mmCIF file of all heavy atoms in Angstrom:
data_model
loop_
_atom_site.group_PDB
_atom_site.id
_atom_site.type_symbol
_atom_site.label_atom_id
_atom_site.label_comp_id
_atom_site.label_asym_id
_atom_site.label_seq_id
_atom_site.Cartn_x
_atom_site.Cartn_y
_atom_site.Cartn_z
ATOM 1 N N ASP A 200 -34.418 -177.324 -6.524
ATOM 2 C CA ASP A 200 -35.495 -177.460 -5.546
ATOM 3 C C ASP A 200 -35.702 -178.924 -5.185
ATOM 4 O O ASP A 200 -35.884 -179.258 -4.009
ATOM 5 C CB ASP A 200 -36.795 -176.850 -6.076
ATOM 6 C CG ASP A 200 -36.760 -175.326 -6.141
ATOM 7 O OD1 ASP A 200 -35.847 -174.720 -5.523
ATOM 8 O OD2 ASP A 200 -37.639 -174.752 -6.810
ATOM 9 N N GLN A 280 -48.132 -171.842 12.573
ATOM 10 C CA GLN A 280 -48.094 -170.420 12.896
ATOM 11 C C GLN A 280 -46.780 -170.008 13.567
ATOM 12 O O GLN A 280 -46.246 -168.931 13.295
ATOM 13 C CB GLN A 280 -49.310 -170.008 13.737
ATOM 14 C CG GLN A 280 -49.377 -170.565 15.128
ATOM 15 C CD GLN A 280 -50.033 -171.936 15.214
ATOM 16 O OE1 GLN A 280 -50.037 -172.703 14.260
ATOM 17 N NE2 GLN A 280 -50.574 -172.264 16.377
ATOM 18 N N LYS A 326 -45.097 -174.166 -3.722
ATOM 19 C CA LYS A 326 -45.721 -175.348 -3.128
ATOM 20 C C LYS A 326 -45.616 -176.541 -4.064
ATOM 21 O O LYS A 326 -45.540 -176.385 -5.277
ATOM 22 C CB LYS A 326 -47.201 -175.075 -2.839
ATOM 23 C CG LYS A 326 -47.445 -173.950 -1.869
ATOM 24 C CD LYS A 326 -48.929 -173.713 -1.660
ATOM 25 C CE LYS A 326 -49.147 -172.568 -0.677
ATOM 26 N NZ LYS A 326 -50.570 -172.364 -0.390
ATOM 27 N N MET A 336 -45.255 -190.310 3.142
ATOM 28 C CA MET A 336 -44.533 -190.567 4.384
ATOM 29 C C MET A 336 -45.377 -190.181 5.597
ATOM 30 O O MET A 336 -45.440 -190.916 6.582
ATOM 31 C CB MET A 336 -43.195 -189.804 4.407
ATOM 32 C CG MET A 336 -42.343 -190.130 5.612
ATOM 33 S SD MET A 336 -40.734 -189.288 5.783
ATOM 34 C CE MET A 336 -40.500 -188.371 4.305
ATOM 35 N N LEU A 344 -49.018 -195.009 13.641
ATOM 36 C CA LEU A 344 -49.305 -194.464 14.973
ATOM 37 C C LEU A 344 -50.695 -194.899 15.457
ATOM 38 O O LEU A 344 -50.841 -195.338 16.601
ATOM 39 C CB LEU A 344 -49.198 -192.938 14.956
ATOM 40 C CG LEU A 344 -49.424 -192.217 16.280
ATOM 41 C CD1 LEU A 344 -48.346 -192.600 17.299
ATOM 42 C CD2 LEU A 344 -49.441 -190.714 16.064
#
Side-chain angles (χ1 to χ4, degrees):
D200 289 345
Q280 68 274 26
K326 299 178 180 183
M336 185 181 354
L344 182 64

